[in-house]
Amino acid sequence: MKDCIIIGVAGGSGSGKTTVANNLVKAFKAEDAVLVEQDAYYRELLNMSIEEKANVNFDHPDSIEFELLRKHLEMLKEGKSIDRPIYDFTTHSRKEGAVRINSSKIIIIEGILIFAVPEIRELLDVKIFVDTDADEMVLRRIERDMNERGRSFESVKNQYLTTVKPMFLEFCEPSKRYADVIIPRGGENKVAIDMIVSNLKGYLNQ
Ligand code: C5P
């Protein structure tokens, strides 16, 4: 049996990368695959009101504690367990406690910026980019942010135009060039997901 493999799943917000990553994890036995989300590593914003926090650019690499994410990926690769932070999108801050994640043969990391940041990109053995049309991404984002993240339509619209879209064009979209595999149409692309899963199963059985 080979050592563990780290698979990165990147793509814009609302692209369906979380669905792809979850479907990959589900295709394996629980002890064989784990998921780590870049979103859990948003930095703690100290001495700021909730209104000030809401205006932070959360789509720039500086907003994420990539040092800690890198350390955690290295620990998982060494067979160690990690305590992943818990992030609350409604308050823009970390919650008390952590989620224990044990190492496994397949480690999947998903996030908008994991290919854009060299310190994370260089740890990835397989890079999958989920490529979805911008109109579908923004529609999904509006629905998700209003239903699950306690946002108003006005706030989603302003954030999209001031930070989400410009940062996607500056960091996320150009990082597609680093992908080994590009999945069109997001999480609904069962054919592409099945092909990746069967390839990984072959790898596991080697
Ligand atoms: O799950 P998804 O990849 O969409 O999460 C990333 C998005 O979360 C970013 O586009 C960022 O704008 C958003 N975000 C937010 N509020 C926070 C932290 C991140 O809207 N406090």
Side-chain angles (χ1 to χ4, degrees), residues 104-117:
S104 70
K105 291 175 209 152
I106 297 178
I107 296 157
I108 298 173
I109 161 82
E110 66 101 347
I112 55 176
L113 294 167
I114 55 172
F115 297 173
V117 174

Side-chain angles (χ1 to χ4, degrees), residues 5-11 17-18 20-22 24 34-38 69 73 77 106-116 120-130 175-176 178-183 196 200:
I5 182 169
I6 306 188
I7 301 168
V9 182
K17 63 185 177 312
T18 310
V20 170
N22 280 326
L24 290 179
V34 289
L35 177 63
V36 182
E37 297 100 338
Q38 173 206 286
L69 177 58
L73 290 178
K77 191 133 197 160
I106 297 178
I107 296 157
I108 298 173
I109 161 82
E110 66 101 347
I112 55 176
L113 294 167
I114 55 172
F115 297 173
I120 302 298
R121 188 173 69 235
E122 67 194 19
L123 294 180
L124 308 174
D125 300 300
V126 178
K127 295 186 260 324
I128 300 168
F129 191 93
V130 181
S175 76
K176 185 165 68 176
Y178 299 109
D180 303 303
V181 180
I182 296 174
I183 302 188
I196 294 167
L200 288 172

Side-chain angles (χ1 to χ4, degrees), residues 13 17 39 58-59 87 92 141 144 149 151 159:
S13 175
K17 63 185 177 312
D39 281 357
F58 291 110
D59 291 78
Y87 191 71
H92 314 284
R141 171 134 181 159
R144 192 253 340 250
R149 295 187 179 176
R151 312 287 168 87
Q159 188 188 14

